[in-house]
Amino acid sequence: MSNHDYSFETQLLHNQYKFDPATGGVSVPVQYASTYHQPSVDKFGKYDYSRSLNPTREAVEEIIAGLEGGTRGFAFSSGMAAISTAFLLLSQGDHVVVTEDVYGGTFRMVSQVLTRFGIEHTFVDMTDLAAVKEAVRPNTKLFYAETPSNPLMKVTDIQAISDIAKEHGALTFVDNTFMTPYLQRPLELGADIVLHSATKFLGGHSDTVSGLAVVKDEELGNRLYSLQNAFGAVLGVQDAWLVMRGIKTLSVRMQQSQENAIKIANFLKDHPLVKKVHYPGFEDHPQYEIHKKQSYGPGAVLSFELESEQLLKDFVNNVKLPVFAVSLGAVESILSYPTKMSHAAMPAEVREKRGISDSLLRLSVGLESADDMIKDFEESLRVSSAHASHQGGIR
Ligand SMILES: Cc1ncc(COP(=O)(O)O)c(C=O)c1O
């Protein structure tokens, strides 16, 4: 039985790294060595220097490649290191079409760094395929999608974008951070590179900053390997081990967090002080059918808009259970404020144009009881609304 005959849950635990063949140890050994003794001048071993290849990093790279249905994985020192290194596949004069409500750090990389190297870009609403086609130029070499998007949870049709890219001989990158391979596998839908901030659901415990990339095509894998080695933003071994430990419980964490998120999203949707909830699990989400077709569930991240910025400030001050922090995808629920956190790198007028309002909060739902979370939110909204109306914050 090959590993791929097993269900995803089983594959998370039963791979070639289930135990260490040298000792039988049921955990991948952390190899701290930066360099490796070579047998002779004429014969070098598999490992020579840890930036180029390290057995602990190699383990997480092969594990994520298997889970995403790719042939080769790469581990980087952060999600942004993975994304930035993948962008280095482009050359001066190339053009990239990017989804418009992309993660703020990716927005910064595309708009402030790539431009200095003569790489052009167009931001488009990737839910609008006609707009995507219109954005194509003769020098378009890449389509960059993030789905569901951050923070408005818009859904891009991965297959449709990949088809457009192929028609133009261009590549498709998909940031799969919000879904993980448990819920969505972009390579199976035609994407060329899948990218992750493994800092989020894959690591899962708010204790490592790390990034992953997976490719299907061997030649593309060789090019990305060469860039990983050239740029050198590789993942350290302790973090590689933490990501592997996180991955072992990915399915149960995602399942439970998603179940909790569905309950909390429904609670927020019915609350009179909540103007809008963005969550791809709602049947009235504009791309509900597309998301259903290309994924195995709506995930554990949602965003919601409160009646006013004052109410938002009071709500954040009063709420007790979620941590108020940058990041997502952890065992604890994380509430964040895109305007001042993930999307602070985006100019205010751009945020406004893209619908990222100053009264929008993003919630990454963790493993606390959903009932406790709902009680906490209910109470915080009640106290905050009394305070905000006193301040004249709500109509
Ligand atoms: C969707 C998405 N992609 C990429 C990143 C960047 O990852 P990192 O913070 O690990 O560099 C983030 C971080 O928040 C993210 O949310």
Side-chain angles (χ1 to χ4, degrees):
M1 199 171 185
S2 97
N3 204 34
H4 282 280
D5 294 331
Y6 290 125
S7 68
F8 189 87
E9 287 82 351
T10 306
Q11 286 179 48
L12 289 175
L13 299 161
H14 297 268
N15 50 52
Q16 60 166 314
Y17 294 101
K18 184 170 154 182
F19 58 82
D20 172 23
T23 63
V26 188
S27 175
V28 174
V30 180
Q31 176 52 269
Y32 282 99
S34 57
T35 192
Y36 302 79
H37 173 71
Q38 305 304 325
S40 76
V41 167
D42 299 319
K43 189 168 180 289
F44 275 25
K46 177 177 175 187
Y47 304 99
D48 65 356
Y49 186 61
S50 275
R51 171 164 37 75
S52 310
L53 191 63
N54 167 287
T56 313
R57 194 176 78 235
E58 183 183 26
V60 75
E61 293 181 330
E62 292 197 349
I63 288 170
I64 192 64
L67 297 175
E68 284 285 6
T71 57
R72 198 151 169 194
F74 302 92
F76 296 89
S77 53
S78 67
M80 279 320 303
I83 293 165
S84 304
T85 306
F87 274 131
L88 294 180
L89 287 162
L90 296 172
S91 300
Q92 187 178 23
D94 288 348
H95 172 248
V96 48
V97 178
V98 190
T99 189
E100 70 174 4
D101 54 347
V102 73
Y103 170 64
T106 309
F107 175 86
R108 177 169 48 210
M109 181 68 195
V110 169
S111 60
Q112 293 176 26
V113 182
L114 295 186
T115 44
R116 290 202 290 108
F117 295 90
I119 296 165
E120 302 164 1
H121 62 267
T122 307
F123 287 107
V124 290
D125 176 355
M126 277 206 175
T127 64
D128 180 352
L129 293 177
V132 173
K133 287 179 189 160
E134 237 169 75
V136 176
R137 299 182 192 166
N139 55 343
T140 301
K141 294 285 162 53
L142 172 64
F143 291 76
Y144 188 99
E146 195 182 302
T147 179
S149 71
N150 186 3
L152 294 174
M153 310 305 292
K154 288 187 186 173
V155 172
T156 295
D157 187 331
I158 298 172
Q159 179 116 45
I161 296 293
S162 306
D163 287 349
I164 297 172
K166 285 189 179 82
E167 262 170 47
H168 293 90
L171 295 173
T172 304
F173 294 178
V174 176
D175 182 330
N176 203 26
T177 299
F178 276 32
M179 290 279 101
T180 80
Y182 178 60
L183 293 177
Q184 181 170 275
R185 295 194 273 282
L187 296 179
E188 291 173 2
L189 300 163
D192 298 288
I193 300 189
V194 177
L195 296 156
H196 282 284
S197 169
T199 314
K200 311 297 174 351
F201 290 104
L202 293 173
H205 295 72
S206 302
D207 55 11
T208 168
V209 172
S210 40
L212 296 168
V214 182
V215 303
K216 206 163 45 180
D217 179 72
E218 195 183 325
E219 199 267 328
L220 188 60
N222 290 338
R223 284 168 64 203
L224 193 58
Y225 170 72
S226 168
L227 288 166
Q228 182 194 37
N229 193 36
F231 197 63
V234 292
L235 187 62
V237 290
Q238 188 70 42
D239 295 281
W241 188 87
L242 284 168
V243 173
M244 282 188 279
R245 178 148 92 170
I247 285 176
K248 288 183 184 186
T249 55
L250 178 68
S251 61
V252 282
R253 285 187 291 104
M254 285 306 281
Q255 230 168 49
Q256 188 60 49
S257 299
Q258 177 173 270
E259 201 177 292
N260 295 347
I262 291 168
K263 286 188 188 161
I264 294 168
N266 279 309
F267 158 77
L268 289 169
K269 196 177 194 190
D270 291 340
H271 199 287
L273 295 172
V274 178
K275 275 205 326 213
K276 179 135 188 78
V277 182
H278 305 273
Y279 187 55
F282 290 146
E283 282 182 21
D284 62 357
H285 181 287
Q287 297 92 34
Y288 174 79
E289 290 302 332
I290 295 169
H291 189 72
K292 204 168 142 197
K293 182 188 73 174
Q294 70 186 11
S295 76
Y296 300 101
V301 182
L302 54 103
S303 60
F304 58 102
E305 210 174 315
L306 291 173
E307 277 287 338
S308 69
E309 198 180 337
Q310 183 59 48
L311 178 64
L312 177 146
K313 286 181 182 163
D314 292 335
F315 175 75
V316 170
N317 283 338
N318 290 317
V319 80
K320 292 191 175 59
L321 285 178
V323 292
F324 179 56
V326 169
S327 204
L328 60 106
V331 287
E332 58 280 326
S333 291
I334 302 178
L335 192 61
S336 66
Y337 187 33
T339 295
K340 295 214 168 149
M341 293 176 168
S342 55
H343 289 67
M346 199 175 265
E349 63 278 9
V350 179
R351 275 199 309 271
E352 198 178 322
K353 206 167 134 242
R354 292 178 189 175
I356 305 169
S357 92
D358 289 348
S359 52
L360 184 83
L361 283 169
R362 189 186 70 197
L363 177 69
S364 164
V365 180
L367 300 178
E368 303 89 348
S369 139
D371 294 341
D372 287 346
M373 286 283 290
I374 288 170
K375 256 190 243 161
D376 185 28
F377 277 32
E378 209 159 29
E379 179 59 11
S380 174
L381 283 168
R382 193 184 62 73
V383 175
S384 307
S385 100
H387 182 243
S389 55
H390 186 68
Q391 304 255 317
I394 315 186
R395 291 176 306 266

